[in-house]
Amino acid sequence: ILLATGSALAALSSCNIALVKNTIVANCLAQGHLTIPDISPSTQVILMSFNKISYLTESSFPPLASAKTLTLGMQLAGELYIGESAFGRLGNLTFLDLGGNKHLMLHTKAFAGLGKLEVLLLDHSDLRDGVLQNGYFQELLSLKKLDLTGNQIQMVRPDPSFSALKMLQSLHLKRNKIESLCGEDLQHLQGHHLSMLDLSSNQLSYRQPRISQPMCTNPFHNMSIDTLDISSNPWNVQGAEQFFQTIAGSQVRHVQMQHSSSLGSSFGFKNIPDVNAATFSGLNKSNVMSLDLSNGFISMLSPRVFSSLPQLQALNVASNKINRLDKEAFFGLQNLQSLNLSYNLLGELYRESFEVLKSSPLQSLDLKSNHIGAIQYNAFSDLSSLQSLNLGDNSLTTIPSMQLLSLKYVFLGENRIRDAYGIGSFASSATLIDLAYNRLQDLGEFWQIIRIRTLEHLFLSHNMISRCSAKPEASIPEDNNLRILDLSHNSLGTVWTSGACLNIFSNLKKLISLDLSQNYLSTLPENLLQGLVSLQNLDLSSNSLLSVPNQLLQGLASLKILRLNSNNFITLSPTAWMHLPSLKFLDLKDTTFI
């Protein structure tokens, strides 16, 4: 019994040692340790999370001058006390994780000696206001990131020692109980530039009595912030307006305000106001470059609602309830480059809604997953810089009638489009066109699409293509640039069995990937693939092929990947592979040989 007990203790005192990318790692995770085990002084990464350590003092660790990373998250003893100078023997530590210790208790000098520490995680540790107010971090002069997510903090009032933390860039206060920031709350962070201040998932509303008093002045005075995250707070329109007025003049580059459940009237409600021109007026001099209002309940974009944001480059209002766009909704956004209106309730689009963006350098417009069934003639024609347009997952039956000369990326998948009429003028300079999951029936449409000389990627999968109206003498332009072609999930077997469109792949000399899977193919014309001199990936899987004609793969000297899986071959002749010197992967899984 004594021998067995001794062996068990020896096992607990050891850790798994590994060399990972020239770094010595001691993996002591979830080994039931009650104390710090013996660790080699040369160890650089120490993983001690999920153990049963309850108490750490200055003598708990052996000298570990090489240690850079230490994780002590989620100890299972019920509580964890960190005593004075507990990490004093790890003076070169740069990363320390103490997160997930639900009853974490800290001596005020627990972090003494960690002058090189850059990242400190104290998330989900039941910490209160005092963690910011009692000088715990005064010696962490190299600290860049402090994570206090998921604690019980109500008042954010960093103590004077924060003035010396000049390296601090990222402060995470998500999922606490913060109701407001006012006046001198952050006075000891003045002069700092934060790359991230995360205040999401708190109780900020700026509707409490304290907020309405004149003493609630700008908490970000003499500070600048790259990203301010105030998502998932109980904002309404009045509270948001009050908050932005309070921080007026502060330099904030990116504002994230997602999941604001009371910001907007939703669909069919009139007792809750939508955002308006006054809502963001306090940000007029903040030089905001991006605003994220996604996953909210905004139902209408009213006149000049964003006019106080002249420097805005990216606007995201996806996943709201927007069903109306005022003709002046985007007034004043002369620097806008990206507009995301996806996952809303828009049914019709009019030119007047986008005319005010005529002078804007708008490059990306996302309208995916609305209910758009009608688009006015030339609705986007004023957007002369537009390069990416996503109209996928809507109810369009035709290609929009307009000419967009700068358009490069066209997403029209998951609509009800029956033909490609007008695609040449609509996207005359496109490099990518997605028409997958539509109702195209005629393979002859390919000849119309391929006339777009700049086209490199074409997706026509999941349509109803089963016939070809192209004349036999119709030819593919030799100067085409097509590289990727997806024709999967159609009925091309019917087309080629009838003897039509046999020259569809002629002159596609730059094509590198061709997908013909799930097309009810039982046989293939021997000369179908001739001319595909650059083809590297060919997918013929999930068909009903009985054989591979000897001449079919002739000339495919560049082919590297060939997928023939899930077919019903009678036989496969070895001569079929003789002309494939570059072949590296042949997939025959789930293939039935009759």
Side-chain angles (χ1 to χ4, degrees):
I1 295 174
L2 289 174
L3 287 173
T5 304
S7 299
L9 290 174
L12 286 178
S13 67
S14 63
C15 300
N16 298 318
I17 308 302
L19 185 64
V20 181
K21 294 182 178 180
N22 297 319
T23 300
I24 300 175
V25 179
N27 184 354
C28 315
L29 295 172
Q31 293 184 2
H33 293 291
L34 302 176
T35 60
I36 303 298
D38 291 333
I39 298 173
S40 168
S42 61
T43 305
Q44 295 160 283
V45 175
I46 306 168
L47 307 178
M48 286 291 305
S49 298
F50 309 108
N51 281 288
K52 297 182 179 180
I53 297 170
S54 61
Y55 196 91
L56 290 175
T57 65
E58 188 174 5
S59 60
S60 294
F61 288 91
L64 294 168
S66 297
K68 300 289 186 181
T69 297
L70 172 62
T71 69
L72 281 162
M74 295 193 70
Q75 297 301 313
L76 307 177
E79 62 182 32
L80 175 61
Y81 175 73
I82 310 294
E84 181 177 358
S85 301
F87 307 104
R89 295 181 176 180
L90 297 88
N92 291 310
L93 209 61
T94 60
F95 181 97
L96 175 58
D97 179 6
L98 292 169
N101 289 296
K102 293 184 178 180
H103 300 288
L104 181 64
M105 295 172 286
L106 300 171
H107 189 282
T108 54
K109 293 187 179 296
F111 304 118
L114 293 180
K116 296 182 179 180
L117 192 69
E118 297 180 0
V119 178
L120 176 57
L121 308 184
L122 292 169
D123 57 289
H124 300 91
S125 296
D126 201 32
L127 297 172
R128 311 287 168 147
D129 296 356
V131 71
L132 290 169
Q133 300 172 7
N134 297 327
Y136 289 101
F137 314 115
Q138 58 186 311
E139 295 194 31
L140 306 183
L141 300 181
S142 299
L143 192 65
K144 296 180 179 179
K145 176 180 177 179
L146 176 59
D147 191 343
L148 290 163
T149 296
N151 283 291
Q152 305 295 320
I153 299 169
Q154 296 180 337
M155 300 295 292
V156 181
R157 290 182 176 175
D159 60 67
S161 67
F162 274 79
S163 298
L165 304 185
K166 302 299 184 182
M167 302 292 289
L168 188 64
Q169 300 175 4
S170 183
L171 179 57
H172 296 260
L173 294 162
K174 183 177 182 177
R175 294 197 196 101
N176 277 278
K177 297 181 178 181
I178 303 165
E179 295 184 358
S180 66
L181 283 175
C182 276
E184 303 301 316
D185 286 353
L186 302 181
Q187 62 176 312
H188 298 300
L189 286 176
Q190 291 183 12
H192 283 64
H193 172 77
L194 296 180
S195 60
M196 166 62 81
L197 177 56
D198 189 348
L199 293 165
S200 62
S201 300
N202 276 283
Q203 298 174 14
L204 295 170
S205 67
Y206 276 64
R207 289 177 279 175
Q208 301 301 322
R210 180 174 183 241
I211 307 304
S212 62
Q213 297 173 2
M215 69 180 66
C216 186
T217 55
N218 188 355
F220 302 145
H221 176 69
N222 197 27
M223 290 175 57
S224 59
I225 303 170
D226 275 343
T227 300
L228 173 63
D229 194 343
I230 50 174
S231 303
S232 301
N233 279 283
W235 300 110
N236 63 10
V237 171
Q238 294 82 4
E241 179 181 344
Q242 178 63 47
F243 174 71
F244 292 133
Q245 290 288 351
T246 300
I247 67 170
S250 294
Q251 298 302 293
V252 182
R253 291 291 178 263
H254 310 284
V255 177
Q256 296 180 0
M257 205 173 185
Q258 307 170 31
H259 298 282
S260 298
S261 59
S262 298
L263 197 66
S265 62
S266 190
F267 184 78
F269 295 91
K270 297 183 178 180
N271 58 329
I272 302 175
D274 266 314
V275 292
N276 54 64
T279 307
F280 306 103
S281 58
L283 296 174
N284 186 44
K285 297 181 179 179
S286 294
N287 294 308
V288 176
M289 296 174 63
S290 73
L291 174 63
D292 189 344
L293 297 170
S294 61
N295 295 284
F297 290 87
I298 301 170
S299 67
M300 176 185 178
L301 295 184
S302 57
R304 307 192 177 204
V305 59
F306 304 113
S307 59
S308 299
L309 305 169
Q311 303 303 320
L312 200 67
Q313 296 180 11
L315 174 61
N316 186 356
V317 286
S319 299
N320 277 275
K321 308 295 180 183
I322 299 171
N323 55 84
R324 288 176 293 167
L325 300 175
D326 186 86
K327 64 180 180 180
E328 289 192 327
F330 306 116
F331 181 89
L333 299 181
Q334 63 264 26
N335 290 297
L336 194 66
Q337 297 179 23
S338 175
L339 174 58
N340 190 344
L341 286 158
S342 63
Y343 295 95
N344 278 287
L345 301 175
L346 295 168
E348 301 172 341
L349 297 177
Y350 297 94
R351 184 173 184 175
E352 66 178 14
S353 298
F354 301 96
E355 279 182 320
V356 293
L357 293 173
K358 185 174 183 178
S359 60
S360 302
L362 188 68
Q363 297 178 16
S364 175
L365 176 58
D366 193 343
L367 290 156
K368 179 182 179 181
S369 299
N370 278 270
H371 301 285
I372 301 168
I375 300 178
Q376 186 182 22
Y377 175 72
N378 280 341
F380 308 131
S381 295
D382 294 310
L383 307 178
S384 58
S385 300
L386 193 63
Q387 296 185 19
S388 177
L389 176 61
N390 193 341
L391 286 163
D393 190 20
N394 280 289
S395 301
L396 297 174
T397 57
T398 60
I399 303 296
S401 182
M402 65 192 79
Q403 188 173 20
L404 299 173
L405 297 177
S406 61
L407 198 60
K408 302 295 183 186
Y409 309 103
V410 182
F411 300 94
L412 291 166
E414 298 182 85
N415 277 279
R416 302 172 187 175
I417 298 171
R418 292 184 176 275
D419 60 67
Y421 177 77
I423 191 69
S425 58
F426 177 67
S428 59
S429 301
T431 60
L432 182 152
I433 295 178
D434 182 1
L435 280 164
Y437 291 93
N438 275 283
R439 299 179 182 179
L440 300 176
Q441 301 176 31
D442 188 357
L443 188 56
E445 305 279 359
F446 180 76
W447 272 260
Q448 183 176 347
I449 300 171
I450 199 62
R451 291 174 187 169
I452 301 173
R453 302 295 200 269
T454 54
L455 188 61
E456 297 181 5
H457 301 80
L458 177 59
F459 302 95
L460 297 172
S461 66
H462 293 87
N463 275 277
M464 304 176 181
I465 300 174
S466 59
R467 60 184 175 86
C468 180
S469 63
K471 296 179 180 180
E473 64 270 17
S475 61
I476 302 295
E478 292 188 7
D479 58 347
N480 74 84
N481 285 286
L482 195 63
R483 295 173 58 81
I484 309 293
L485 176 58
D486 186 353
L487 285 163
S488 63
H489 295 268
N490 283 288
S491 298
L492 298 184
T494 304
V495 178
W496 290 323
T497 300
S498 69
C501 282
L502 297 181
N503 62 337
I504 184 173
F505 302 128
S506 63
N507 291 330
L508 298 184
K509 297 177 181 179
K510 296 182 180 179
L511 195 70
I512 62 173
S513 180
L514 174 61
D515 192 344
L516 297 174
S517 62
Q518 298 207 29
N519 265 289
Y520 303 100
L521 301 173
S522 58
T523 184
L524 287 169
E526 286 196 350
N527 298 326
L528 183 67
L529 304 178
Q530 285 189 2
L532 300 181
V533 295
S534 300
L535 193 65
Q536 298 178 21
N537 188 347
L538 174 60
D539 193 341
L540 292 167
S541 65
S542 301
N543 282 291
S544 301
L545 292 173
L546 301 176
S547 64
V548 177
N550 289 338
Q551 303 300 317
L552 180 67
L553 304 177
Q554 206 171 50
L556 304 185
S558 300
L559 193 66
K560 297 179 179 179
I561 300 173
L562 176 59
R563 301 184 187 277
L564 294 170
N565 53 293
S566 302
N567 278 283
N568 299 313
F569 292 113
I570 295 176
T571 182
L572 283 175
S573 172
T575 57
W577 331 117
M578 290 177 58
H579 307 289
L580 302 177
S582 301
L583 191 65
K584 297 182 181 299
F585 180 81
L586 175 62
D587 190 349
L588 290 171
K589 67 177 181 291
D590 299 322
T591 296
T592 301
F593 288 91
I594 300 173

